[in-house]
């Protein structure tokens, strides 16, 4: 009987306190949904990934946002997680379609492309043109 009372008196309150702390942290993160187009060589990137990383060199910290790129479009709300506002480093990776019509689908179309952006709470759309890289 002592084990049960120890569990009820000590362990359960500790677990509940931990869960409440985690929930509290979650509610402080304000993710912002973004959408837009991604093109390379004048054409939509058919398959890819876009990652929005807070730029710590500019004092922005928090979780990264991301989205799948499908037929040149991305939407963090539908296919990913929203980004936080502020200075961000954006990394884009694109792949040929899996049907093999434009090359080996496991080989990227271009080296990962990085750029910097600054978003505000009013920003909803960001389009990206991936340049030729040498």
């Amino acid at each position: 009987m002592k084990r049960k009372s120890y569990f009820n008196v000590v362990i359960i309150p500790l677990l509940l306190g931990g869960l409440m702390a985690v929930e509290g942290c979650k509610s402080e993160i304000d993710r912002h949904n973004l959408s837009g187009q991604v093109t390379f060589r004048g054409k939509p990137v058919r398959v890819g990934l876009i990652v929005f990383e807070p730029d710590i060199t500019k004092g922005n910290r928090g979780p990264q946002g991301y989205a799948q790129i499908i037929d040149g479009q991305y939407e963090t709300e539908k296919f990913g997680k929203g980004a936080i506002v502020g200075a961000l480093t954006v990394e884009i990776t694109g792949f040929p379609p899996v049907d093999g019509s434009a090359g080996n689908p496991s080989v990227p179309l271009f080296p990962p492309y990085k750029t910097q952006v600054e978003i505000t709470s009013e920003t909803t759309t960001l389009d990206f043109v991936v340049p030729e890289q040498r």
Side-chain angles (χ1 to χ4, degrees):
M1 197 64 157
K2 285 183 182 179
R3 182 176 288 178
K4 187 173 183 182
S5 65
Y6 177 78
F7 185 80
N8 289 339
V9 172
V10 176
I11 303 298
I12 289 177
L14 284 174
L15 288 173
L16 289 175
L19 289 174
M20 288 170 45
V22 169
E23 264 315 299
C25 291
K26 279 190 204 175
S27 64
E28 292 176 19
I29 298 170
D30 186 23
R31 291 185 180 266
H32 187 71
N33 287 314
L34 297 168
S35 62
Q37 298 180 352
V38 181
T39 57
F40 177 64
R41 293 182 179 158
K43 297 180 182 175
V45 173
R46 302 249 324 255
V47 179
L49 180 68
I50 185 165
V51 177
F52 301 95
E53 183 76 37
D55 189 342
I56 60 172
T57 65
K58 295 184 178 166
N60 199 10
R61 299 190 188 287
Q64 58 178 215
Y66 62 90
Q68 294 177 17
I69 301 168
I70 302 170
D71 293 325
Q73 303 286 322
Y74 72 91
E75 283 185 70
T76 59
E77 187 172 23
K78 288 185 180 178
F79 305 108
K81 291 259 187 205
I84 63 170
V85 297
L88 303 171
T89 299
V90 179
E91 182 172 295
I92 300 171
T93 308
F95 295 93
V98 293
D99 64 11
S101 62
N104 183 343
S106 65
V107 177
L109 289 172
F110 46 83
Y113 169 65
K114 288 187 179 185
T115 188
Q116 267 70 36
V117 298
E118 179 93 23
I119 66 167
T120 67
S121 57
E122 289 81 36
T123 307
T124 58
T125 304
L126 285 173
D127 295 336
F128 295 93
V129 177
V130 178
E132 288 284 338
Q133 300 174 44
R134 296 178 200 261

